Amino acid sequence: MKTHGLIRFADFELDIERYELRRAGQEIRLERLPMELLILLASRDGELISRADIIRVLWGPNTFRDTENGINTAIRKIRLALDDDPITPRHIKTLKGKGYRLDGIHQAPAAAAPRNPEPAVRVIVLPFDNMTGDATQDAFCEALAAETSATLGTLRPDRLAVIARTTAAHYRRTGKSIAEIARELSVDYVLEGSLTREGRRVRILAQLVRCADQSQIWSRAYEPVSQGALNIQQEVGAALATEVTPTLTQHQLTTLARRLPVAPAAHDAYLRGRYYWYRRVHFDAAFSATHALSGEDFFRSRNYFDSAVESDPSYALGYAGLSNFYGSTVVHGFYPPEHGWQLARSAAERALELDPELPEAHHAMAAVHYFYDWDWRKAEAEFLCALRLNPSYPEAHRLYARLLLAIGRDAEGHAQMTRAEKLDPLAFQGSRAFGLILSGGHEQAVHEYFSRAANERSPLIYQVLATAFEVKGLFKESVEATIEALICCNEHARAEAIRGRWATGGHDAVLEWLCADLLARHRAGYVSPLVLAEVYAKLGRPDEMFHWLDEALAERSSRLCELRTIAWFQRWLSTGRFRSLEKRQGF
């Protein structure tokens, strides 16, 4: 299904990216469900869409809502918006017992000789080597490589795909050859550089290597004389872009240089904060909250983001980092939503005020709309904006995928997860497996990821496998995966406690112990009520489950936006109490 672009029919324009229907330039208001149905009909180029397909896309599988009346009402509202007579319709045609189609879509003329687009060139920017003997220059070297990587991702999405810096960082001082790196990551070019010192003069050397024949196709020496040395990003980026695409617009050249802070110390702090944030955020939030996994990396990231904005109060990236910290710590169970999300919103708004075209700022605002506002339309618009500004931004692909999976657009969601993992294969290892769990693909997750060697499994993969095995009723395997996940996270005492409960009482004993542990932590501090609802669902105790779901709704628990994807609640989806809960939630 097409999810972006402009579709014209009759004298109407449907702007999918802006989520807007227009006639003669004037916007026509449509509610969310009729708009989603119109987009579905328009995206199929006049094909017949069955009512079953409409239900699957708009409400998701295994729905028990009154979808028949829902479809009829949505069609009626679309016809009112289009001024379409239901007796003699011009636009929305009904085929009784079959479905609906949208007539009159204007097709773009076909090219005389269409060609398949060339695949995007894949580039990795390796960490710059500090050859000065001065350890204080390490941060400067990190800044050069990391920001060159980030800004290059904003150039040409159809021609340039940049491997994320978190994966590139793993190749620091590994001794691997260009050929080995190219083979492992399937990259076409490697950009590498170094910082050297000759007396009081500092020189930055950079070279671009083509992996196919390992030939150096560009190199440059740069001698900075002030803080303006960071402008090397513009020169390096322009040279690289010229190699892979004939022209580079002035706007793109400006973009390459616009992300830099006034104070280099702010940039150094931001990079360090982002490192720790990435290291912790890629855990399963439900698993993390259930087992009280350490938030040390989150809180270390916050200290660095604070330092970044203190060093340079006009540094938008620092505020985007703070927004990510506040939002993530809520999702992972450290704070109640009203505490963290208001701070996350304020920081994201400040970042956008300072730099309206910063991808990280739009991603941060999208997270607020998704996890707290439960406004999928606004969240999707912000995700698409972030990806338009930087198509090589893996974190935006990953979180956008979660939204798509939550609203039943599974194929698009899995494609986004795959894209994130491909752009940053080491830091995002297991993201696609997590996406499979969200869409109910437990069997596939086990099949694809359990067969991997143990050294190829990230903590997230173990966490995902624990869920998949438990859903399938393979409780021994689930407990073993849980123990492995906890060991990976240095939670050895908790791993031993679960091992002991399993040995003495099996799966029920483990669940009862988890329940008692969560209640004790709830009495002592904050525990997400949604986590308590999940454990009671596993225990088959609906009264307690619904009590805690009501508590979760009252506090706007973040993961309620993905309520229908949580496996433990599936058996109650058709009950009146669950439908009432969803209605109060606004879905």
Side-chain angles (χ1 to χ4, degrees):
M1 174 175 151
K2 186 177 181 181
T3 57
H4 57 84
L6 192 66
I7 299 176
R8 295 182 175 87
F9 58 96
D11 55 346
F12 294 92
E13 289 183 339
L14 180 60
D15 191 330
I16 296 178
E17 186 166 330
R18 292 175 60 89
Y19 210 76
E20 190 173 272
L21 176 67
R22 297 187 293 269
R23 189 177 198 177
Q26 296 296 313
E27 181 182 359
I28 301 172
R29 303 291 296 177
L30 263 182
E31 297 173 18
R32 182 185 67 83
L33 195 62
M35 178 64 84
E36 292 287 350
L37 178 52
L38 180 58
I39 290 173
L40 174 63
L41 293 168
S43 67
R44 298 294 181 88
D45 296 327
E47 293 180 6
L48 177 70
I49 310 296
S50 71
R51 291 175 76 91
D53 280 345
I54 292 172
I55 293 170
R56 179 184 58 79
V57 174
L58 267 60
W59 284 278
N62 304 317
T63 186
F64 295 92
R65 296 186 183 185
D66 186 4
T67 54
E68 293 300 310
N69 282 334
I71 293 175
N72 294 338
T73 300
I75 289 291
R76 177 174 57 81
K77 290 181 177 179
I78 293 172
R79 282 185 168 141
L80 285 172
L82 301 180
D83 195 21
D84 203 19
D85 186 347
I87 306 301
T88 56
R90 293 183 301 121
H91 307 303
I92 304 293
K93 298 295 179 68
T94 304
L95 277 71
K96 192 171 182 180
K98 298 292 185 181
Y100 304 90
R101 73 168 186 261
L102 177 63
D103 283 355
I105 297 175
H106 302 324
Q107 299 284 351
R115 297 185 305 168
N116 291 328
E118 297 180 15
V121 173
R122 289 172 59 80
V123 181
I124 185 170
V125 181
L126 295 179
F128 279 44
D129 288 327
N130 178 10
M131 308 294 290
T132 66
D134 180 1
T136 63
Q137 295 295 325
D138 286 347
F140 182 72
C141 290
E142 288 286 348
L144 286 174
E147 279 307 304
T148 300
S149 177
T151 51
L152 287 178
T154 67
L155 292 179
R156 286 285 305 274
D158 57 332
R159 295 292 297 123
L160 191 64
V162 184
I163 301 298
R165 66 176 182 84
T166 43
T167 287
H170 285 271
Y171 288 89
R172 172 181 288 280
R173 302 186 183 95
T174 61
K176 290 189 176 181
S177 67
I178 297 294
E180 289 175 307
I181 296 172
R183 183 170 58 253
E184 292 178 9
L185 299 178
S186 299
V187 293
D188 302 295
Y189 294 91
V190 170
L191 180 65
E192 56 184 0
S194 63
L195 189 70
T196 62
R197 185 186 299 275
E198 297 177 4
R200 300 185 62 182
R201 298 170 59 187
V202 174
R203 303 187 72 208
I204 299 170
L205 306 175
Q207 63 176 357
L208 182 65
V209 178
R210 185 168 53 218
C211 299
D213 54 7
Q214 299 183 50
S215 61
Q216 177 181 296
I217 61 173
W218 172 88
S219 65
R220 190 67 52 87
Y222 190 83
E223 295 189 4
V225 295
S226 68
Q227 291 182 357
L230 290 176
N231 285 335
I232 190 176
Q233 292 175 64
Q234 183 172 7
E235 184 174 353
V236 171
L240 176 59
T242 302
E243 171 63 26
V244 298
T245 187
T247 59
L248 191 65
T249 67
Q250 183 59 45
H251 172 74
Q252 290 168 331
L253 285 169
T254 302
T255 299
L256 286 170
R258 66 194 304 275
R259 294 164 53 96
L260 300 178
V262 172
H267 185 66
D268 176 44
Y270 169 77
L271 289 178
R272 294 174 189 272
R274 186 59 71 188
Y275 167 78
Y276 287 110
W277 183 83
Y278 264 121
R279 195 163 76 170
R280 180 58 173 80
V281 77
H282 293 156
F283 285 178
D284 179 350
F287 187 97
S288 299
T290 299
H291 295 287
L293 296 186
S294 169
E296 179 184 358
D297 282 340
F298 274 146
F299 297 110
R300 291 179 74 175
S301 78
R302 187 252 177 96
N303 290 335
Y304 284 116
F305 293 143
D306 276 337
S307 178
V309 297
E310 287 170 5
S311 297
D312 182 358
S314 66
Y315 187 34
L317 273 172
Y319 292 100
L322 281 173
S323 181
N324 290 156
F325 161 78
Y326 289 122
S328 297
T329 47
V330 172
V331 176
H332 285 254
F334 293 97
Y335 297 121
E338 67 175 3
H339 171 80
W341 283 117
Q342 296 304 332
L343 293 171
R345 188 194 306 276
S346 296
E349 288 173 345
R350 179 60 176 153
L352 287 169
E353 178 185 343
L354 290 166
D355 190 346
E357 295 191 14
L358 184 68
E360 290 83 351
H362 287 282
H363 166 265
M365 186 55 74
V368 177
H369 290 319
Y370 178 54
F371 283 117
Y372 189 65
D373 297 338
W374 301 338
D375 190 327
W376 290 334
R377 181 181 65 83
K378 288 184 178 179
E380 182 168 22
E382 292 289 353
F383 282 130
L384 291 174
C385 185
L387 292 171
R388 174 179 58 81
L389 293 167
N390 185 1
S392 294
Y393 185 15
E395 185 61 31
H397 286 288
R398 183 186 72 91
L399 197 50
Y400 182 35
R402 291 183 65 164
L403 180 149
L404 293 169
L405 293 168
I407 62 177
R409 288 157 59 180
D410 290 358
E412 297 168 77
H414 290 307
Q416 291 291 335
M417 280 292 190
T418 300
R419 175 73 169 159
E421 199 167 275
K422 190 173 183 180
L423 284 169
D424 202 346
L426 297 181
F428 283 73
Q429 187 186 49
S431 293
R432 206 177 75 81
F434 180 69
L436 289 172
I437 295 299
L438 286 178
S439 63
H442 306 99
E443 184 75 41
Q444 187 177 352
V446 170
H447 176 73
E448 289 191 25
Y449 289 88
F450 187 61
S451 60
R452 295 188 178 187
N455 61 358
E456 295 180 2
R457 297 179 194 154
S458 65
L460 176 59
I461 289 178
Y462 279 117
Q463 294 161 16
V464 166
L465 286 173
T467 298
F469 282 131
E470 190 169 10
V471 171
K472 290 166 56 64
L474 301 172
F475 299 129
K476 180 176 182 295
E477 290 83 353
S478 175
V479 168
E480 289 174 350
T482 298
I483 290 170
E484 290 296 334
L486 292 170
I487 291 173
C488 284
C489 300
N490 294 316
E491 299 287 347
H492 298 280
R494 192 170 183 87
E496 285 304 312
I498 290 177
R499 194 194 308 274
R501 296 309 187 282
W502 169 260
T504 58
H507 185 243
D508 286 346
V510 172
L511 290 180
E512 293 288 356
W513 179 80
L514 284 174
C515 187
D517 177 63
L518 287 167
L519 289 171
R521 285 160 42 201
H522 175 71
R523 289 189 292 268
Y526 177 73
V527 169
S528 169
L530 184 55
V531 175
L532 280 156
E534 287 174 301
V535 76
Y536 278 117
K538 295 178 187 181
L539 286 165
R541 293 161 60 176
D543 288 340
E544 292 96 330
M545 178 192 79
F546 279 111
H547 166 76
W548 289 108
L549 281 175
D550 285 338
E551 292 288 323
L553 181 60
E555 74 157 26
R556 299 186 72 83
S557 289
S558 299
R559 289 188 300 109
L560 277 180
C561 62
E562 298 170 348
L563 182 63
R564 295 187 69 85
T565 71
I566 299 175
W568 324 117
F569 302 134
Q570 297 299 306
R571 61 191 288 194
W572 287 282
L573 291 183
S574 62
T575 65
R577 293 178 72 178
F578 201 91
R579 291 201 299 270
S580 174
L581 177 80
E582 290 188 301
K583 186 175 181 180
R584 285 183 285 132
Q585 191 181 0
F587 296 147

